Amino acid sequence: MPRLFTALEIPRNAAMSLSLLRGGLPGARWIDVENYHITLRFIGDVDNRTADEIVHRLDRIERPEFQLQLTGTGAFGSKKPHSVWAGVSNPPELYALQAEIERICQRLGLPADPRKFTPHVTLGRLRSSRVEDVVGYLSGRGGFFTSPFTVSRFVLLSSRDSIGGGPYITEEVFPLYEPASSSLPMSDKHPSESML
């Protein structure tokens, strides 16, 4: 069974901006542009029945679309850096969606994710990169940001690669709903029926 995880996709224009951050760091294995994503919840290897139940429950999530922006860069592993990433603005809708997915997974018997949710896009995985090289890389790219974009869905991805980084396969797509706009012209609103 492939490893499963839920994620947000990165639109092409934002992915192209991220691709400009590649290079200039010895020991980095850069993630391919088409594999950029924001992991919401790592699920792991589950049997087909559990996978079907996860899909069934995720399909019931009803949350509105929201705006997101990629901003800043950082690294995981302070003494021995193992990856570099681009940061994500922190809208409350993102955390609410992630928390709902986490609750669903726990209700289905999956262990709680031990790591605190830190939304990010992994840019590269590091092998034997020196701390000072990572610091230099990050200091030259700290002002990174993209234009805001609308998150209109989340996906269930799978990977058969044991070291991460793709290729990822989209197994299921879960749309978010468009929030109702209160800025409709008066002629488009339905007048309430008056009692005569």
Side-chain angles (χ1 to χ4, degrees):
M1 184 72 198
R3 300 170 119 194
L4 298 175
F5 60 99
T6 57
L8 300 180
E9 300 159 301
I10 304 299
R12 181 127 186 95
N13 58 347
M16 295 316 292
S17 295
L18 287 170
S19 73
L20 300 176
L21 299 173
R22 294 160 43 128
L25 180 54
R29 185 172 63 85
W30 301 104
I31 304 296
D32 292 333
V33 173
E34 62 272 12
N35 290 317
Y36 289 146
H37 66 275
I38 300 165
T39 299
L40 295 172
R41 173 49 151 97
F42 180 74
I43 296 168
D45 302 305
V46 294
D47 58 57
N48 286 334
R49 183 175 172 210
T50 304
D52 288 344
E53 188 60 30
I54 289 168
V55 168
H56 177 69
R57 300 272 182 100
L58 293 178
D59 203 33
R60 289 197 207 147
I61 290 178
E62 289 200 22
R63 295 213 165 260
E65 296 177 346
F66 57 92
Q67 292 286 303
L68 204 58
Q69 182 178 22
L70 305 180
T71 176
T73 57
F76 288 128
S78 55
K79 290 190 167 62
K80 189 169 189 272
H82 55 80
S83 61
V84 289
W85 46 262
V88 178
S89 61
N90 296 319
E93 298 93 340
L94 170 62
Y95 285 88
L97 174 62
Q98 190 276 335
E100 185 168 357
I101 293 170
E102 179 65 36
R103 282 191 301 274
I104 287 169
C105 289
Q106 288 185 38
R107 282 188 194 124
L108 292 172
L110 298 174
D113 193 333
R115 295 166 297 187
K116 179 180 180 285
F117 177 55
T118 306
H120 66 279
V121 178
T122 301
L123 301 171
R125 303 199 187 280
L126 308 180
R127 290 197 190 113
S128 65
S129 294
R130 299 179 328 158
V131 172
E132 48 274 16
D133 289 339
V134 174
V135 169
Y137 168 83
L138 295 175
S139 67
R141 291 158 180 83
F144 170 78
F145 66 93
T146 64
S147 297
F149 55 89
T150 300
V151 175
S152 60
R153 66 189 203 171
F154 69 98
V155 293
L156 182 68
L157 297 177
S158 67
S159 172
R160 296 183 190 278
D161 188 357
S162 61
I163 54 173
Y168 302 119
I169 298 163
T170 301
E171 300 289 345
E172 295 286 341
V173 173
F174 306 98
L176 303 175
Y177 67 83
E178 227 178 297
S181 175
S182 59
S183 59
L184 289 174
M186 286 306 287
S187 61
D188 290 350
K189 294 185 178 175
H190 298 287
S192 55
E193 298 289 328
S194 59
M195 303 278 292
L196 294 176

